Amino acid sequence: MRRILIYISVFVFVVIIAIVGFYYLNLARYTERVESSKQALELSMVLLSEKLSYGYFQWSEFYKAVQKGDKEFIENNINDMLASSPLIHSMKIIDRPAFFSDEESLYKILPGSKGKELSVYFNIFDDFLKNVVKNKIVQAEISLNELLAAYNMSDLIEIVHSEAGKPLVFGLNYKLKIFPLHFFQIVSALSIGFLACLIVRTIVEWEISTHYQTVGLETLVSLFEQRDRYTANHSKNVAAIAVILGRNLGIKRKRLKLLERAALLHDIGKIGIPEKDLAKNGKLNDEEYFIMKRHSEIGAVLVGKIPYLRDLKSVILYHHEKTDGSGYPYGLKGDKIPYLARILAVADVFDALISDRPYRSAMNLENAIKEMEKMPLDQEIVNALKNNIKNILVVLNKNTEMLIRQ
C-alpha cells in the first residue's frame, strides 16, 4: 500500500509539473509570435498611411477640391484609393473632430469607435504643405479582422476593449484566443507521469533488474528477429555457442555471463537500420552494406546508455573486427580486439554460415568450419568450436525445437 501511495504521489506531482511547463512554454511561444507580428503590423499601417498622405492628401488638386466641395473629384479619388488598398473598407470627408485639432501632423491612427476597425485621420495639404484644410479631414477605416488575417494573427488573438488585455498597437489591446495547452500535451504529461512512476518503480524494486537483463532483453531481441525467418533465433544460437566456447576457453562466471548477454544483444543495433536493408532478398550493395556496418556502433551506443549493460559495450562494438584488420568499425588487429569480442565473432560467423540467408543456402558443418579456418578469426577459438561441435549442435537443436513450438 505504501508503494502504491508513493507511485500515485510521483505520478500526480510529475503530471502537474509537466502541464504547467507546457502551459508556460506555449504561452511564451504565442506571445513571441504576437510580438514579432506586431512590429510588422505597425510598420505596414505607417507605410499605408504615408503612401495615402503623400499620394493624395499632399496634393493641391485634392486640397482645392475639398475647399470647393467638388464631390465628383473627391469621390473618384476615394474610389481609386479604396481599389488600391484592400485593407481600407471605407473612406470619407468629415468635419474636423476635437481630438484631431493638430493641423501640422500628416495623419493620426486611432482605434475605431466600433472596436472592429482602425481609423486613420488625414490632414489635407497642398503640394508644399503650406496650406491645410482647416475644418475638414479624411477618415479612413481599416478592418481589424482583415489586417490581423493578413499577418496570420486572426486565429491567435482577439481585440478587447479593456485594460485587462495586453497592448498591441495604436492603443489596441488583445488577448489570446488559443488556450495555451493542447490535448496531446496533456496526454504527454500523463505519459511523462507514468514514465516517472516506472522509473521510481525500477529504483525501488531494483532486485528485479536481473530478470530484465536476461529474460526481458532476450525476449526483446527475439521479437525483433521474428520479423525475418532468416534471422529467427540467431541471437539465442550465438549466445549458446559463445557460452560453450567461453566455458571451454576458461572464461569464468561473471565474464561468461557478460559474454552471454552481449551475444543476446549483439545485433540490437539493427533496430537503427532501415527495414528495406534488413529484409532485402539478396546481397547488399555498397551503400546498403555501409549502412548495415553501423549496427555494431548503434548497438554499442544503445547498451552504453543503460548503466547495467555498459560492460557489454566493447564486446558488441568490436564483434565484427577481424584479426588481420579488415573488420569494422575500426579495423583493429589481433590482440587489440577484446577477447570476448573475438569469441562472439566466431560464434556469430558459425551460426550465420550454417543458417539460410536470402542470398545463399546454409553450409554443412564441415564446409562451414573449413571456411572459418580460412577467415581472419582467432583460430584458437575456431579450434575450440571444432572440438565442441557436438555439444554446440545439441544446444542449437534444442533452440530450433523451441522455436518450432512457439
Side-chain angles (χ1 to χ4, degrees):
M1 185 65 182
R2 185 176 178 183
R3 286 186 181 181
I4 293 174
L5 289 175
I6 291 173
Y7 299 151
I8 292 173
S9 299
V10 169
F11 177 79
V12 171
F13 176 76
V14 171
V15 168
I16 291 173
I17 292 297
I19 287 176
V20 171
F22 283 132
Y23 177 89
Y24 282 105
L25 176 64
N26 289 340
L27 187 62
R29 286 173 52 205
Y30 294 150
T31 302
E32 183 180 355
R33 180 178 158 190
V34 172
E35 289 298 317
S36 61
S37 299
K38 183 167 74 172
Q39 296 176 3
L41 188 150
E42 184 174 15
L43 179 60
S44 70
M45 281 298 303
V46 170
L47 290 175
L48 174 62
S49 302
E50 291 282 349
K51 182 185 80 169
L52 293 175
S53 177
Y54 181 78
Y56 291 91
F57 308 132
Q58 299 174 38
W59 181 26
S60 294
E61 294 297 321
F62 196 88
Y63 170 84
K64 292 174 183 177
V66 173
Q67 293 282 49
K68 294 177 181 178
D70 188 343
K71 293 183 180 181
E72 182 178 355
F73 182 88
I74 294 171
E75 185 176 343
N76 288 338
N77 280 277
I78 285 178
N79 289 335
D80 286 343
M81 286 183 269
L82 292 174
S84 64
S85 304
L87 291 177
I88 301 175
H89 66 82
S90 70
M91 183 179 288
K92 58 187 177 181
I93 305 291
I94 64 171
D95 293 332
R96 181 180 294 277
F99 60 78
F100 192 29
S101 58
D102 183 2
E103 297 178 359
E104 295 183 359
S105 298
L106 298 178
Y107 56 85
K108 189 172 187 176
I109 304 174
L110 295 171
S113 58
K114 299 178 182 178
K116 295 183 179 181
E117 68 281 323
L118 274 176
S119 293
V120 187
Y121 301 93
F122 295 92
N123 273 318
I124 305 166
F125 296 93
D126 62 10
D127 289 344
F128 303 102
L129 299 177
K130 290 183 177 180
N131 299 300
V132 63
V133 177
K134 301 289 185 180
N135 60 336
K136 300 286 185 181
I137 62 170
V138 176
Q139 180 187 17
E141 291 191 340
I142 296 171
S143 169
L144 280 175
N145 289 335
E146 292 180 16
L147 185 62
L148 294 177
Y151 289 90
N152 298 317
M153 295 173 69
S154 57
D155 63 331
L156 184 62
I157 65 172
E158 63 177 324
I159 304 300
V160 294
H161 307 289
S162 66
E163 295 181 356
K166 295 183 178 180
L168 188 62
V169 290
F170 307 118
L172 296 172
N173 293 320
Y174 78 93
K175 69 176 182 179
L176 290 174
K177 275 185 179 180
I178 304 174
F179 185 70
L181 195 63
H182 302 297
F183 174 74
F184 77 89
Q185 291 175 325
I186 295 174
V187 173
S188 297
L190 294 173
S191 301
I192 293 169
F194 181 70
L195 180 61
C197 286
L198 289 181
I199 294 171
V200 171
R201 182 174 181 270
T202 301
I203 295 171
V204 172
E205 301 178 4
W206 185 257
E207 63 270 16
I208 64 172
S209 64
T210 301
H211 172 76
Y212 292 128
Q213 291 176 45
T214 52
V215 179
L217 290 171
E218 182 180 335
T219 302
L220 173 64
V221 175
S222 178
L223 288 171
F224 178 74
E225 290 180 343
Q226 296 311 311
R227 301 179 307 170
D228 183 359
R229 67 183 181 87
Y230 293 106
T231 59
N233 234 31
H234 172 65
S235 292
K236 273 189 177 182
N237 288 344
V238 172
I241 297 168
V243 168
I244 292 172
L245 293 177
R247 189 178 290 119
N248 183 261
L249 293 166
I251 304 298
K252 301 303 179 183
R253 290 173 56 189
K254 187 175 180 181
R255 277 165 54 80
L256 193 64
K257 195 66 179 176
L258 187 152
L259 175 61
E260 181 183 23
R261 290 174 182 163
L264 285 171
L265 296 174
H266 76 282
D267 276 342
I268 193 72
K270 287 184 178 179
I271 290 174
I273 303 301
E275 183 71 23
K276 65 179 181 64
D277 294 342
L278 294 173
K280 183 174 181 180
N281 188 22
K283 282 192 174 183
L284 302 176
N285 61 36
D286 290 343
E287 182 181 354
E288 291 165 345
Y289 183 57
F290 177 80
I291 294 172
M292 183 67 74
K293 288 195 297 185
R294 295 194 61 237
H295 80 271
S296 57
E297 294 176 89
I298 295 171
V301 170
L302 288 174
V303 299
K305 291 181 178 180
I306 303 173
Y308 56 78
L309 297 179
R310 283 177 185 158
D311 291 340
L312 313 183
K313 183 176 178 180
S314 63
V315 186
I316 292 174
L317 179 62
Y318 301 122
H319 79 276
H320 278 293
E321 298 286 2
K322 300 291 170 53
T323 55
D324 65 351
S326 63
Y328 59 85
Y330 299 116
L332 301 183
K333 293 183 178 181
D335 293 341
K336 296 291 184 182
I337 306 169
Y339 192 52
L340 296 187
R342 282 182 269 161
I343 295 174
L344 177 54
V346 171
D348 189 26
V349 169
F350 179 69
D351 186 67
L353 290 177
I354 65 172
S355 303
D356 286 328
R357 287 292 184 265
Y359 50 88
R360 62 159 176 79
S361 299
M363 291 185 181
N364 61 41
L365 296 179
E366 184 179 352
N367 289 338
I369 292 174
K370 284 182 180 179
E371 187 69 25
M372 291 177 71
E373 288 175 336
K374 300 174 187 177
M375 293 180 179
L377 300 167
D378 189 321
Q379 291 303 313
E380 178 190 5
I381 302 172
V382 174
N383 286 332
L385 174 76
K386 191 161 52 172
N387 295 333
N388 288 272
I389 197 67
K390 289 183 180 179
N391 294 335
I392 289 171
L393 289 178
V394 170
V395 174
L396 295 185
N397 288 334
K398 285 183 180 178
N399 284 351
T400 302
E401 290 173 5
M402 289 177 63
L403 180 64
I404 293 171
R405 289 196 198 104
Q406 291 171 1

